């Protein structure tokens, strides 16, 4: 059976994740790879309702953490695991690393606790590769119009989130950081290079 790969795109708001997920879809389609594209939060029916609550209602940071974790549990169980079991590639817009960056570094919640909750929610199913699109917060925020309460958070909050991503990336072997302040086509080229190496082994 063909080997499945789980790849997640990560980064702050305006880092270009959605654009590069779309390019990745086009590339994999052309290569004939069997894959699904998904995202967190909100990819399952229950997750969709959780997403609306998280992004629209004011709540305690710990409640927010638990709702992201609940969404992840459903996402892994209902979407990621079944696709992996069928030998498909999974391309996800966000994964567990978002919770460490946003709720851990952004909100200041306990990192060890988040790691434990992530472990429970993911059942140990974590991306083989995380592509972290990194750029400075000021430029990133200029690229997107805030539509929800997390996007409307302060510059300071988003700076803490970026710092979190970079620190957590250093701790892991499976995170590749790509400078997303480069022109879109150059970022795309770098990502396609990485994907080409992976599809050649496929
Ligand atoms: P999106 O804009 O990428 O769809 O994600 C929705 C928001 O949720 C975004 O502001 C990042 C935030 N988020 C967290 O704060 N923690 C998480 O664990 C995840 C997955 C997303």
């Amino acid at each position: 059976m063909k080997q499945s790969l789980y790849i997640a795109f990560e980064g702050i708001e305006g880092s270009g994740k959605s654009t590069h997920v779309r390019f990745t879809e086009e590339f994999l389609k052309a290569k004939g790879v069997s894959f699904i594209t998904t995202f967190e939060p909100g990819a399952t029916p229950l997750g969709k309702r959780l997403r609306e609550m998280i992004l629209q209602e004011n709540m305690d940071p710990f409640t927010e953490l638990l709702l992201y974790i609940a969404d992840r549990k459903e996402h892994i169980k209902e979407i990621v695991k079944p696709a992996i079991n069928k030998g498909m590639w999974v391309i996800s817009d966000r994964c567990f690393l978002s919770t460490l960056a946003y709720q851990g570094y952004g909100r200041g919640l306990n990192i060890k606790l988040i790691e434990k909750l992530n472990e429970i929610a993911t059942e140990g199913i974590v991306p083989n590769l995380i592509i972290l699109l990194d750029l400075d917060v000021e430029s990133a925020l200029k690229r997107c119009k805030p539509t929800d309460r997390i996007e409307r958070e302060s510059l300071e909050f988003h700076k803490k989130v970026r710092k979190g991503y970079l620190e957590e990336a250093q701790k892991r072997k499976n995170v590749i950081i790509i400078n997303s302040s480069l022109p879109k086509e150059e970022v795309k080229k770098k990502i396609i290079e990485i994907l080409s190496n992976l599809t050649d082994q496929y």
Side-chain angles (χ1 to χ4, degrees):
M1 188 160 80
K2 300 230 176 185
Q3 203 200 337
S4 139
L5 268 187
Y6 176 13
I7 302 173
F9 283 81
E10 276 287 3
I12 55 174
E13 330 289 332
S15 59
K17 287 180 291 90
S18 329
T19 306
H20 291 290
V21 165
R22 216 173 48 244
F23 288 147
T24 299
E25 283 181 313
E26 287 167 11
F27 175 80
L28 294 179
K29 227 178 251 172
K31 284 276 180 184
V33 174
S34 159
F35 69 95
I36 59 155
T37 323
T38 184
F39 59 96
E40 295 187 9
T44 63
L46 176 56
K48 192 163 177 244
R49 295 171 71 182
L50 290 170
R51 180 185 171 99
E52 277 167 22
M53 278 195 270
I54 303 170
L55 297 183
Q56 306 308 335
E57 307 286 339
N58 285 325
M59 61 185 72
D60 184 88
F62 191 69
T63 310
E64 180 183 288
L65 165 65
L66 293 177
L67 293 181
Y68 278 114
I69 294 293
D71 174 76
R72 181 155 307 122
K73 182 77 189 168
E74 291 297 313
H75 183 230
I76 295 287
K77 193 173 166 203
E78 300 295 329
I79 295 181
V80 178
K81 202 170 166 184
I84 289 176
N85 286 342
K86 285 186 204 147
M88 298 171 89
W89 284 33
V90 175
I91 308 301
S92 184
D93 188 333
R94 300 195 181 279
C95 65
F96 74 90
L97 201 62
S98 286
T99 316
L100 286 168
Y102 283 81
Q103 281 64 50
Y105 291 75
R107 301 279 190 230
L109 297 179
N110 186 282
I111 297 289
K112 286 257 169 304
L113 173 65
I114 297 175
E115 280 174 345
K116 190 73 213 154
L117 291 170
N118 269 334
E119 237 175 79
I120 296 169
T122 60
E123 305 171 22
I125 300 173
V126 291
N128 301 94
L129 175 67
I130 299 175
I131 297 177
L132 173 59
L133 299 174
D134 177 62
L135 81 167
D136 68 278
V137 174
E138 285 87 351
S139 316
L141 293 184
K142 269 190 211 141
R143 291 177 175 182
C144 61
K145 207 168 96 224
T147 56
D148 62 57
R149 72 180 182 92
I150 310 249
E151 287 173 354
R152 281 193 294 270
E153 279 292 342
S154 66
L155 194 66
E156 278 321 299
F157 174 84
H158 291 288
K159 283 188 172 169
K160 284 190 228 163
V161 173
R162 182 191 183 200
K163 181 168 173 277
Y165 271 126
L166 293 173
E167 281 186 21
E168 289 300 317
Q170 299 310 326
K171 297 185 194 166
R172 296 176 165 78
K173 288 202 183 81
N174 62 338
V175 184
I176 296 183
I177 303 174
I178 294 195
N179 177 359
S180 188
S181 66
L182 295 170
K184 206 189 319 184
E185 282 306 312
E186 271 184 58
V187 176
K188 179 180 174 184
K189 205 171 139 214
K190 283 178 191 289
I191 295 173
I192 298 296
E193 247 171 53
I194 297 167
L195 295 173
S196 296
N197 282 332
L198 294 172
T199 48
D200 288 349
Q201 298 161 29
Y202 173 65

